[in-house]
């Protein structure tokens, strides 16, 4: 199962405490302060890596912790700083800091986000020596490292998205057009996790079917829509054996409106699927009612190779245009 949505806790390292100590040796019975400073706690960074494709590293381990700084020692010895920790995530991960609601996106492998700052090391008593107090008996405690709850959402990097109502034939098209072999079934919600396939070096995403009210949690909900946020072309599949193709179209578009994230403004082409099951009059009727959408309409069937070729050509042309 694709792990694509987790909440984890990040805990930066605490600062080491400063030391309270006084110089003592054979020559010095009552020397000055020599308590060293504590080291800083390690910071936590988030960075994308192309070698990581999902969030399964967090299925069991939901805490990422950086090292704490070591406390200062006598003889003015500084404590070592805690090591920083970099948590590697898939490209395209969306991060929400639950405490501040700040959002970040990892869209390239170079960006490094400081998500939790380590505590500062405490000063040793040597640092508190003044003209009037030559023997300070106190040192500073190390600062606490930041603790944060963060929400990680994976968004697949696909250029093309197959969308539509359940059972519209999305997975069948992914199967026919690409090397992917998704599960196909004559019942709604066969697909429960997104599938990816590759065509001419372009990644196609087939997501679970969306139904009316998905935005309110109906069916499988609409959280899968985030996987098509980064696509450049949407292939809206409408089952040609349905009663009213325009109603089917609008159900999906309404859910898009609620979802936001600019899905409504993405280039979209309608694929009228399973056309081997209808007669030409029905096809003409569908085309008429769908004219209102002002979208390009391609009648397709997985049993009609020339219709599949037409999709391939469309994809190539469309992606070239947006490059
Ligand atoms: N005759 C015919 N049947 C098709 C065609 N495309 C898909 N089907 C059938 O339609 C049913 C649903 O196909 P899927 O590809 O699983 O549909 P889906 O849109 O992925 O469905 P969900 O994953 O449930 O949202 C299956 O029984 C397919 O065999 C087609 O072009 N012609
Ligand atoms: Mg499917």
């Amino acid at each position: 199962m694709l792990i694509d949505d987790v909440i984890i806790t990040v805990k930066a390292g605490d600062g080491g405490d400063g030391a309270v100590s006084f110089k003592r040796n054979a020559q010095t019975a009552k020397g000055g302060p020599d308590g060293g400073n504590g080291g800083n706690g390690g910071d936590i960074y988030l960075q994308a890596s192309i070698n990581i494709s999902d969030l399964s590293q967090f299925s069991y381990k939901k805490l990422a912790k950086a090292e704490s700084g070591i406390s200062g020692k006598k003889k003015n010895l500084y404590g070592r700083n805690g090591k920083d920790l970099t948590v590697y995530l898939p490209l395209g991960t969306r991060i929400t800091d639950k405490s501040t609601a700040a959002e970040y996106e990892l869209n390239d492998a170079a960006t490094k986000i400081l998500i939790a700052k380590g505590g500062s090391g405490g000063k040793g008593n040597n640092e508190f020596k003044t003209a009037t107090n030559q023997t300070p008996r106190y040192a500073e405690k190390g600062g606490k490292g930041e603790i944060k709850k963060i929400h990680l959402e994976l968004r697949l990097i696909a250029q093309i998205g197959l969308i539509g109502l359940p059972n519209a034939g999305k997975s069948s098209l992914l199967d026919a057009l690409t090397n992917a072999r998704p599960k196909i079934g004559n019942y709604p919600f066969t697909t429960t996790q997104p599938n990816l396939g590759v065509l001419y070096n372009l990644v196609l995403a087939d997501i679970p079917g969306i139904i009316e009210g998905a935005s309110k949690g109906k069916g499988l909900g609409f959280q899968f829509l985030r996987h098509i946020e980064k696509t450049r072309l949407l292939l809206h599949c409408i089952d040609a054996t349905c009663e009213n193709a325009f109603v089917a179209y609008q159900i999906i578009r309404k859910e898009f409106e609620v979802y936001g994230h600019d899905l409504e403004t993405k280039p979209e082409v309608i694929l009228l699927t399973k056309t081997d099951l209808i007669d030409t009059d029905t096809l003409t009727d569908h085309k008429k009612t769908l004219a209102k959408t002002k979208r390009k309409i391609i009648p397709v069937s997985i049993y009609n190779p020339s219709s599949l070729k037409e999709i391939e050509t469309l994809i190539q042309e469309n992606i070239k245009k947006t490059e």
Side-chain angles (χ1 to χ4, degrees):
M1 189 175 129
L2 178 74
I3 308 283
D4 60 358
D5 190 320
V6 291
I7 293 176
I8 65 163
T9 304
V10 287
K11 159 109 185 61
D14 295 332
D17 296 337
V20 177
S21 162
F22 295 93
K23 201 170 173 182
R24 295 282 183 274
N25 56 35
Q27 289 77 39
T28 328
K30 271 192 158 185
D34 72 349
N37 298 343
N40 297 326
D43 300 330
I44 298 191
Y45 295 89
L46 304 177
Q47 193 172 359
S49 161
I50 51 163
N51 299 319
I52 298 187
S53 53
D54 66 11
L55 300 171
S56 57
Q57 59 179 311
F58 305 110
S59 346
Y60 301 108
K61 195 171 164 268
K62 297 218 168 10
L63 174 69
K65 217 171 146 187
E67 226 177 50
S68 289
I70 306 290
S71 297
K73 301 262 163 26
K74 59 188 177 187
K75 297 190 184 165
N76 284 322
L77 283 178
Y78 280 40
R80 187 169 58 72
N81 290 336
K83 280 200 197 90
D84 293 341
L85 173 74
T86 302
V87 178
Y88 291 97
L89 300 168
L91 267 173
T93 305
R94 179 163 51 218
I95 301 140
T96 313
D97 182 333
K98 299 285 278 177
S99 46
T100 61
E103 277 194 6
Y104 312 89
E105 276 176 21
L106 291 175
N107 290 326
D108 59 69
T111 311
K112 220 172 166 177
I113 295 165
L114 173 64
I115 193 78
K117 180 103 194 85
S120 301
K123 288 185 177 124
N125 67 339
N126 188 29
E127 301 251 357
F128 295 100
K129 190 169 64 178
T130 60
T132 52
N133 184 359
Q134 293 287 313
T135 56
R137 294 187 173 280
Y138 49 83
E140 199 178 28
K141 287 264 180 226
K144 289 280 174 218
E146 280 184 304
I147 302 185
K148 281 185 175 167
K149 266 205 163 44
I150 56 172
H151 185 190
L152 305 177
E153 290 168 282
L154 172 66
R155 285 175 310 157
L156 300 177
I157 311 278
Q159 287 80 31
I160 299 146
L162 285 160
I163 53 157
L165 293 171
N167 217 34
K170 302 178 291 298
S171 302
S172 301
L173 281 173
L174 186 77
D175 179 87
L177 294 167
T178 73
N179 52 339
R181 293 294 165 260
K183 191 168 159 189
I184 291 164
N186 196 12
Y187 53 91
F189 306 119
T190 308
T191 305
T192 56
Q193 298 291 334
N195 298 304
L196 296 180
V198 179
L199 173 71
Y200 303 128
N201 284 332
L202 299 168
V203 179
L204 266 76
D206 158 39
I207 62 167
I210 302 289
I211 55 170
E212 189 168 9
S215 48
K216 297 184 187 77
K218 293 241 172 78
L220 295 175
F222 75 164
Q223 77 275 16
F224 294 107
L225 290 180
R226 73 168 175 276
H227 292 302
I228 53 161
E229 272 178 44
K230 297 169 92 59
T231 57
R232 290 187 271 163
L233 172 67
L234 297 175
L235 300 179
H236 190 150
C237 302
I238 300 174
D239 190 337
T241 64
C242 73
E243 277 292 303
N244 188 324
F246 185 67
V247 169
Y249 176 82
Q250 278 198 308
I251 290 174
I252 302 293
R253 297 299 300 183
K254 269 200 197 120
E255 297 304 313
F256 276 19
E257 264 170 45
V258 182
Y259 184 77
H261 295 284
D262 296 331
L263 283 190
E264 313 118 86
T265 57
K266 276 192 194 293
E268 181 193 49
V269 170
I270 294 175
L271 304 183
L272 202 50
T273 61
K274 311 188 195 179
T275 46
D276 55 289
L277 299 176
I278 56 161
D279 55 28
T280 46
D281 286 350
T282 315
L283 181 60
T284 310
D285 286 349
H286 281 324
K287 281 186 174 167
K288 258 188 218 149
T289 60
L290 285 172
K292 285 178 269 188
T293 67
K294 304 216 164 51
R295 302 297 196 199
K296 185 179 169 75
I297 302 162
I298 305 184
V300 297
S301 159
I302 52 168
Y303 303 113
N304 178 349
S306 71
S307 72
L308 298 176
K309 192 78 211 147
E310 207 176 328
I311 304 176
E312 291 182 11
T313 310
L314 167 100
I315 286 174
Q316 273 184 314
E317 282 173 359
N318 229 287
I319 296 293
K320 247 190 253 143
K321 249 193 279 165
T322 56
E323 253 162 12

